[in-house]
Amino acid sequence: MQLDGYQRLEAYRRMLRIRRFEEEGMRQFKDDKIPGWFHTAVGQEAAIVGACLALRDDDGITGTHRSHGHPIGKGAHLDALMAELMGKEGGVCKGRGGSMHFADNSVGIISESGIVGGGIPLATGCAFSAKLRGVDQVTLCFFGDGAVNQGTFHESLNMASLWKLPVIYLCENNGYAMTTSVAQSHGQPDIALRAPGYGMPGATVDGQSVGAVYEAAAAAVTRARAGEGPTLIVANTYRFDEHNFGLVIPGEPYRSVEEVEAHKRARDPILLYRTVLLEEGINEKSLIAIEDEVTKAVKQAVKFALDNPMPQPETLSDYMFNSPLQVITTSRLGWRGINRHGTDAQKLAATPTPHIQMTYLEALVQAQMEEMDRDERVVLMGEDISVHGGAKLIERFGKKRIWNMPISEGSFTGLGIGAAINGLRPIVDLSGASFVYLASDQIINQASKLRYMTGGQIHIPIVFRCCMFSVGSEAAQHADRPYPFFMNVPGLKIISPTSAADIKGLMKSAIRDGDPVLVFEDARLWALKGDVPTDPDHVIPIGKADVKREGRDVTLLAIAGAIRPTMEAVDALTEENISVEVIDPRTLKPLDHAAIKMSIAKTGRLVIVENGHRVCNVGSEIAAVMAEEAFDLLKRPILRLSAPDIHVPFSPSLENDFFPTKDHIIAAVRRLL
């Protein structure tokens, strides 16, 4: 398949638009009009444009930190791109992304990533969503030769091959990962040979020939649309500029001036293609007209950007969340024709309904089941799902809705994020909470940041379920309480309910929410029974604490699994005629400051109990906020009970008193009184 008549001239136009845009960007960078870093795609235009021309308008793209060329190659307007480089309000990402993070949903650019290999799982997830929704949309994933050594590359290719996902992986092999050559970093420098190991075709093409790249990409797109799965294309190209324009690299040059100049003379993709077009009989006047048109468009883009205002400080928090406390409650939605950026009406409290007794784990499973019945966009993915309460879900919904993942936590988390961007509402079950560290790159650098960095262009409605093990003697690598780790990350909501009714209501809210939500459940609560509303629309608002018991003398604030020894302590203290109020925050981020302050106003004393390590835990945050906002209400200093700043031991004799116990809590209350 070759470029047709229109595409031949369009290929020249788009390559030239990339080149002139980058050249003008370098001038503006030198004049201090562009802040930050500036990575150009000069020399790599053919690899970009050839691949993009093989796509439809509704096909998606993920890219790299060398991000300017991809949206231009897909057909984006230059004005908003140049404004983004300058950090202006009219930038394509409202000045939130900048040079390395262009995204333009109007032409299908899902995201570009400053994290090497970060976009590969996202592209895989977008393709996963397309396959599940029954549309013939294809996703094209650009990455460099350095990303081939990342785990995300290998894990994603394995999953794409396993499920025959409609994704094309295109490696822009410019020979160097910053200053490290392919020869220095690849045991097998022929990157395309990795493809057969994952059961997919691999092709190496001349990345300086737009026609050669187009032919390979068009064949891969045809294959993907036919349901035959992914393809790996390696386009051997060359970047003419330094890795980062303006970057001075000390020491011995990693490539010689002669090498660079030789490529510029003999392998400039634009000059090569111009010669091809003239040899094929294209009138030179047509090419000159395109050149003039591109020059004017770039000048107009610069004018637009320079005239555009900077974002105002009062807009700093714009685009952080789809809606900070909105809970979505639409009825069942069709599988096709999904409005992937839509939100639904707010419903923050359920009507009174009959209750039934069930365990915490049963309520959690029930919440997922009801939401999967309600909305066909909800899918569940994770490792060994049947082990953590998923057997009933597998039996009910089957393989199209329940996905057992390979042990690739980082990449299947990224796959879930990409699927959320492209129309699904995934629940990613990370099994043991300690495994969330492996997924943290994708959660932090992609899920939490992309909405903000794209200026609100994308939404990521996704739930990460993390079970905090606590059956005993699991040792440090399985017994962590990692929730404080994520408290410092903007863009995430974090819940940790402690009752059966609360896990059902908050899990449903999390699934319906328009933003990433982490659910940390304590396994020692799984067997606890309680009354749970039967109403399928029983939802509890994210961000609202609950008073588990009212009292007048002391406020006990218990987090997650600490609720059990706390309630035991309260029962004992009641016999001593000590009246204790128990607050369960339920949501750790955002915290319900008002509810905590209201309780302190009543009791004047606060003890915070949690199983997280002492340094920088949730109790630290609550104590700091209450010292700032409720100091005049406190009769005594705030006390915090927590695990010590030591890893969880294996031996029962060391573990028995590791987390706060009933006796610890009673002693703390007596001390305050």
Side-chain angles (χ1 to χ4, degrees):
M1 190 181 296
Q2 296 182 333
L3 292 163
D4 62 27
Y6 162 78
Q7 289 174 319
R8 289 160 71 206
L9 288 180
E10 186 61 20
Y12 185 67
R13 177 181 289 106
R14 293 190 190 187
M15 285 199 292
L16 202 61
R17 279 164 67 87
I18 296 172
R19 177 69 59 89
R20 298 292 177 257
F21 182 91
E22 300 283 44
E23 290 171 344
E24 185 57 44
M26 286 187 272
R27 281 190 282 272
Q28 297 298 323
F29 186 85
K30 285 181 180 177
D31 289 344
D32 292 328
K33 298 294 192 301
I34 294 174
W37 295 338
F38 194 83
H39 302 77
T40 80
V42 172
Q44 300 182 202
E45 297 90 349
I48 296 168
V49 172
C52 287
L53 283 174
L55 300 175
R56 291 192 317 230
D57 290 346
D58 65 328
D59 292 329
I61 285 180
T62 64
T64 70
H65 56 275
R66 203 171 303 286
S67 73
H68 318 148
H70 303 129
I72 299 173
K74 191 70 159 54
H77 294 291
L78 302 184
D79 291 7
L81 300 182
M82 187 64 76
E84 186 63 29
L85 286 180
M86 296 185 185
K88 299 297 186 75
E89 178 63 34
V92 69
C93 298
K94 309 299 183 187
R96 269 67 172 181
S99 173
M100 290 193 290
H101 311 107
F102 276 12
D104 188 345
N105 268 5
S106 69
V107 293
I109 308 298
I110 298 157
S111 73
E112 308 265 351
S113 180
I115 307 300
V116 174
I120 301 176
L122 300 185
T124 309
C126 288
F128 177 88
S129 170
K131 186 178 181 73
L132 261 65
R133 291 186 291 114
V135 297
D136 67 345
Q137 182 189 53
V138 167
T139 306
L140 172 63
C141 177
F142 286 104
F143 54 92
D145 48 274
V148 173
N149 292 324
Q150 291 275 12
T152 50
F153 170 83
H154 298 278
E155 293 173 357
S156 296
L157 264 65
N158 178 57
M159 291 188 290
S161 176
L162 185 63
W163 301 313
K164 294 190 180 303
L165 301 182
V167 56
I168 295 107
Y169 299 103
L170 194 142
C171 176
E172 296 176 84
N173 178 16
N174 61 27
Y176 297 91
M178 194 166 177
T179 65
T180 305
S181 70
V182 168
Q184 292 173 305
S185 58
H186 292 62
Q188 169 51 267
D190 189 342
I191 294 170
L193 287 180
R194 287 160 171 75
Y198 295 108
M200 69 179 70
T204 301
V205 297
D206 180 2
Q208 305 305 81
S209 166
V210 69
V213 176
Y214 172 80
E215 288 180 31
V221 167
T222 300
R223 184 172 181 273
R225 292 205 207 284
E228 296 174 15
T231 302
L232 172 63
I233 299 171
V234 181
N236 289 328
T237 181
Y238 196 83
R239 58 173 161 83
F240 292 173
D241 296 320
E242 193 43 84
H243 165 75
N244 176 5
F245 181 71
L247 177 68
V248 177
I249 299 173
E252 189 72 21
Y254 65 94
R255 59 181 190 175
S256 67
V257 174
E258 292 76 18
E259 176 186 316
V260 177
E261 291 303 316
H263 277 276
K264 287 181 178 180
R265 285 193 305 271
R267 301 291 294 154
D268 186 320
I270 295 177
L271 296 180
L272 288 171
Y273 191 55
R274 195 178 197 279
T275 301
V276 167
L277 290 175
L278 291 173
E279 288 175 351
E280 290 178 348
I282 297 293
N283 190 313
E284 189 169 17
K285 288 182 180 179
S286 300
L287 302 183
I288 292 171
I290 289 173
E291 291 158 6
D292 290 342
E293 170 202 317
V294 170
T295 299
K296 289 176 183 175
V298 172
K299 283 183 179 178
Q300 165 57 32
V302 172
K303 182 179 186 307
F304 174 84
L306 291 173
D307 292 346
N308 209 259
M310 286 289 188
Q312 294 302 302
E314 57 267 25
T315 70
L316 176 63
S317 62
D318 290 358
Y319 315 115
M320 272 300 299
F321 290 104
N322 181 39
S323 52
L325 292 176
Q326 185 163 337
V327 179
I328 297 169
T329 58
T330 48
S331 57
R332 177 190 291 261
L333 295 174
W335 196 236
R336 296 170 184 267
I338 292 166
N339 175 8
R340 70 182 188 184
H341 299 324
T343 58
D344 308 305
Q346 195 174 31
K347 183 176 181 181
L348 295 181
T351 0
T353 58
H355 291 63
I356 60 170
Q357 278 269 315
M358 63 174 65
T359 67
Y360 184 103
L361 184 58
E362 288 168 342
L364 194 154
V365 172
Q366 186 73 23
Q368 295 174 95
M369 186 176 295
E370 289 177 359
E371 291 308 298
M372 293 181 77
D373 275 335
R374 186 190 66 86
D375 188 343
E376 288 184 309
R377 295 175 296 176
V378 180
V379 295
L380 175 61
M381 58 183 70
E383 297 169 358
D384 300 307
I385 288 173
S386 61
V387 176
H388 298 101
K392 288 183 179 178
L393 297 171
I394 294 169
E395 181 182 340
R396 185 180 184 99
F397 296 104
K399 294 182 179 179
K400 282 205 71 173
R401 305 284 300 282
I402 312 290
W403 292 80
N404 267 313
M405 292 286 168
I407 300 178
S408 309
E409 290 90 352
S411 292
F412 76 63
T413 296
L415 181 148
I417 296 165
I421 291 170
N422 197 27
L424 297 183
R425 288 183 166 267
I427 305 166
V428 177
D429 188 339
L430 285 159
S431 184
S434 296
F435 306 150
V436 75
Y437 298 129
L438 297 166
S440 62
D441 171 53
Q442 287 290 320
I443 294 172
I444 295 170
N445 279 314
Q446 308 300 336
S448 80
K449 295 177 180 177
L450 284 183
R451 175 174 167 76
Y452 188 77
M453 292 177 68
T454 62
Q457 292 183 75
I458 64 175
H459 307 306
I460 307 176
I462 188 168
V463 175
F464 304 103
R465 182 185 164 200
C466 311
C467 173
M468 298 182 290
F469 292 153
S470 52
V471 294
S473 294
E474 288 142 340
Q477 290 183 347
H478 283 76
D480 273 350
R481 271 52 190 156
Y483 53 83
F485 183 83
F486 295 92
M487 292 284 289
N488 196 240
V489 180
L492 299 176
K493 298 171 184 177
I494 305 172
I495 64 174
S496 191
T498 64
S499 72
D502 286 353
I503 187 60
K504 182 180 180 184
L506 275 162
M507 186 68 177
K508 289 168 75 69
S509 290
I511 295 168
R512 299 181 188 195
D513 200 84
D515 298 303
V517 182
L518 282 90
V519 181
F520 286 97
E521 67 204 65
D522 196 312
R524 64 181 62 191
L525 301 175
W526 273 5
L528 289 183
K529 284 192 171 183
D531 286 335
V532 178
T534 57
D535 181 4
D537 271 333
H538 163 66
V539 293
I540 293 172
I542 292 173
K544 295 296 181 184
D546 186 40
V547 179
K548 294 299 184 190
R549 187 172 299 190
E550 293 193 0
R552 63 180 182 276
D553 297 329
V554 179
T555 298
L556 274 177
L557 190 149
I559 296 165
I563 194 72
R564 290 187 68 176
T566 297
M567 297 308 291
E568 291 169 0
V570 170
D571 290 339
L573 289 164
T574 300
E575 294 177 5
E576 300 178 27
N577 203 30
I578 297 173
S579 176
V580 179
E581 181 144 299
V582 180
I583 301 289
D584 176 6
R586 302 192 294 194
T587 299
L588 305 182
K589 192 172 184 180
L591 278 164
D592 188 349
H593 295 177
I596 302 170
K597 283 192 287 186
M598 188 179 299
S599 182
I600 292 174
K602 186 193 302 186
T603 67
R605 299 172 180 86
L606 176 62
V607 179
I608 304 167
V609 190
E610 70 171 302
N611 292 337
H613 298 297
R614 185 168 182 80
V615 176
C616 296
N617 62 16
V618 179
S620 304
E621 174 67 11
I622 294 172
V625 170
M626 290 304 111
E628 290 174 348
E629 299 181 5
F631 184 78
D632 57 333
L633 301 175
L634 289 163
K635 299 174 183 176
R636 298 293 303 275
I638 297 169
L639 293 185
R640 293 192 296 128
L641 300 179
S642 66
D645 199 34
I646 299 167
H647 290 302
V648 181
F650 168 76
S651 174
S653 66
L654 297 174
E655 189 185 31
N656 284 342
D657 287 342
F658 188 82
F659 298 119
T661 65
K662 166 188 168 183
D663 291 340
H664 294 146
I665 298 166
I666 291 172
V669 170
R670 287 173 177 163
R671 178 181 166 191
L672 276 190
L673 292 172

